[in-house]
Amino acid sequence: MFSILSLVVASTLGVAEDYSITVNSLGIGNTWTSGVVTPLQVTISSNVNEATAAWVQWEVPDADGDTVLWGKPITLSPGGKTSVWLYAPIQPWSNPSMSWTIRLREWVEDEPFGELATTRFSANSIGAVQYKTTEGFIAVFGTRRLGLSNFQPHQPIEVKQEASIIVSGLQSNDLPDAWPCLETLDAIVWADVTPQFSYRQESALLSWIERGGHLIISLPTIGDPWNLGSENGPLSEILIDIQSSIEQI
């Protein structure tokens, strides 16, 4: 930059009355694998009636067993909730019962100081699903599957290039805002959700595409939520020269 009952309680309440930490998801769509840079979305609640400069960190052991603090400075809204993405390279031997710590600290003169709240969690405690490194991963933003279910693992095993995990029902806020967290994806399929990106999300998506990421956009029959061909639409940097048309079959 953990007993099961106490784990669940801690992830909801944190350790301080003024601030609390909730772990929302591990990976993309609460689906993760080990041995890669992994996104973690947390929400921090503040009961303080003024904005708070803070530092939030995810404490993850490295290959030598040393704890590395992966975090970032944030500003907490007064009396409100602030969601933030954290990222860390988790080890290949990470498993669903392994526990990690999230710690909230004061941010004073560009340095973290003291402790405001802490929580411990595991993939099991937040219902995160682990997939195998030998499986592909396709993230679908929206509820339409677009025929992708045939790529999922089946029993008995079918002969095909690679079975892929399909995670659908995602919303714009489920998209991490750093491109290394998208590297495990075979593709992002944007189905029937209106694309609404923060500056960091859009930058991450563009960087991932530039490095070979596959973004597949499905347009509705009526309307164009991407404003293709316009400099005012999402991802206009790469979509400004694209025009859409409807062909009768």
Side-chain angles (χ1 to χ4, degrees), residues 144-160:
R144 296 171 58 204
R145 287 292 189 100
L146 302 176
L148 294 171
S149 298
N150 291 329
F151 286 91
Q152 294 190 115
H154 292 278
Q155 294 294 335
I157 297 175
E158 295 181 358
V159 179
K160 51 189 170 185

Side-chain angles (χ1 to χ4, degrees), residues 122-172:
S122 69
N124 281 340
S125 73
I126 62 171
V129 177
Q130 183 180 20
Y131 68 95
K132 302 175 183 178
T133 55
T134 56
E135 295 171 325
F137 186 11
I138 299 175
V140 181
F141 285 77
T143 57
R144 296 171 58 204
R145 287 292 189 100
L146 302 176
L148 294 171
S149 298
N150 291 329
F151 286 91
Q152 294 190 115
H154 292 278
Q155 294 294 335
I157 297 175
E158 295 181 358
V159 179
K160 51 189 170 185
Q161 182 176 0
E162 179 184 60
S164 294
I165 299 299
I166 311 297
V167 176
S168 63
L170 301 177
Q171 303 295 314
S172 292

Side-chain angles (χ1 to χ4, degrees), residues 193-195 218-220 222-228 233-234:
V193 168
T194 300
S218 174
L219 294 177
I222 300 175
D224 175 11
W226 292 87
N227 290 326
L228 296 178

Side-chain angles (χ1 to χ4, degrees), residues 2-14 21 23 96-102 118-127:
F2 338 60
S3 84
I4 294 182
L5 179 59
S6 61
L7 191 64
V8 173
V9 173
S11 66
T12 304
L13 299 180
I21 305 169
V23 179
S97 62
M98 180 177 292
S99 296
W100 291 290
T101 297
I102 304 295
T118 188
T119 189
R120 289 173 72 85
F121 78 99
S122 69
N124 281 340
S125 73
I126 62 171

Side-chain angles (χ1 to χ4, degrees), residues 66-229:
D66 298 322
T67 299
V68 182
L69 313 180
W70 298 89
K72 63 175 60 174
I74 59 173
T75 300
L76 301 178
S77 302
K81 297 182 178 181
T82 303
S83 292
V84 61
W85 285 100
L86 299 173
Y87 315 95
I90 60 177
Q91 297 304 320
W93 54 82
S94 300
N95 60 72
S97 62
M98 180 177 292
S99 296
W100 291 290
T101 297
I102 304 295
R103 200 178 309 274
L104 181 70
R105 308 175 68 184
E106 295 180 79
W107 185 245
V108 182
E109 297 181 351
D110 295 332
E111 294 287 343
F113 177 79
E115 181 178 300
L116 298 175
T118 188
T119 189
R120 289 173 72 85
F121 78 99
S122 69
N124 281 340
S125 73
I126 62 171
V129 177
Q130 183 180 20
Y131 68 95
K132 302 175 183 178
T133 55
T134 56
E135 295 171 325
F137 186 11
I138 299 175
V140 181
F141 285 77
T143 57
R144 296 171 58 204
R145 287 292 189 100
L146 302 176
L148 294 171
S149 298
N150 291 329
F151 286 91
Q152 294 190 115
H154 292 278
Q155 294 294 335
I157 297 175
E158 295 181 358
V159 179
K160 51 189 170 185
Q161 182 176 0
E162 179 184 60
S164 294
I165 299 299
I166 311 297
V167 176
S168 63
L170 301 177
Q171 303 295 314
S172 292
N173 60 3
D174 292 314
L175 181 71
D177 58 9
W179 73 264
C181 297
L182 305 176
E183 284 193 294
T184 58
L185 292 173
D186 289 339
I188 291 176
V189 178
W190 212 276
D192 52 356
V193 168
T194 300
Q196 297 176 321
F197 305 128
S198 69
Y199 172 79
R200 290 178 59 89
Q201 284 178 312
E202 184 161 334
S203 296
L205 195 50
L206 287 170
S207 295
W208 175 70
I209 293 170
E210 181 181 1
R211 290 167 171 81
H214 297 89
L215 172 64
I216 302 165
I217 296 173
S218 174
L219 294 177
T221 304
I222 300 175
D224 175 11
W226 292 87
N227 290 326
L228 296 178

